[in-house]
Amino acid sequence: MAEVANSEGVTVEIERDGAIVRVMPFQPPQAQKMSREEAGEAELARWIANNEIRKQREAEQAERLRLKATKK
């Protein structure tokens, strides 16, 4: 009954031993949408983090090349 209630989005009622059993569809809580400002701030934070990682990788690569050149 729960599967029918969820898939059809309806309340299913049956009577059993004189009692009415009602099965209602389950609707999970909706994720709260971010405002445009919050979305922009989140994207900026992600971009900054990715940029820092890229800079760190480039610095590490430059250091490896420098060490390789000094070994020769």
Side-chain angles (χ1 to χ4, degrees):
M1 285 192 315
E3 187 176 322
V4 172
N6 283 330
S7 65
E8 299 297 323
V10 296
T11 299
V12 178
E13 288 185 3
I14 63 168
E15 186 176 334
R16 185 169 190 163
D17 299 328
I20 296 177
V21 177
R22 184 176 290 142
V23 180
M24 301 176 80
F26 173 74
Q27 296 190 3
Q30 300 292 322
Q32 193 174 23
K33 290 187 177 182
M34 286 193 277
S35 68
R36 289 181 69 187
E37 183 178 350
E38 290 170 330
E41 288 173 357
E43 180 64 22
L44 177 60
R46 188 186 68 77
W47 182 85
I48 289 171
N50 287 341
N51 197 37
E52 290 299 319
I53 291 169
R54 181 184 57 79
K55 285 180 181 179
Q56 184 178 4
R57 286 183 186 152
E58 288 174 353
E60 289 169 356
Q61 184 179 13
E63 181 66 16
R64 282 194 299 273
L65 290 173
R66 187 186 66 77
L67 290 174
K68 190 175 182 180
T70 58
K71 285 183 181 180
K72 291 182 178 181

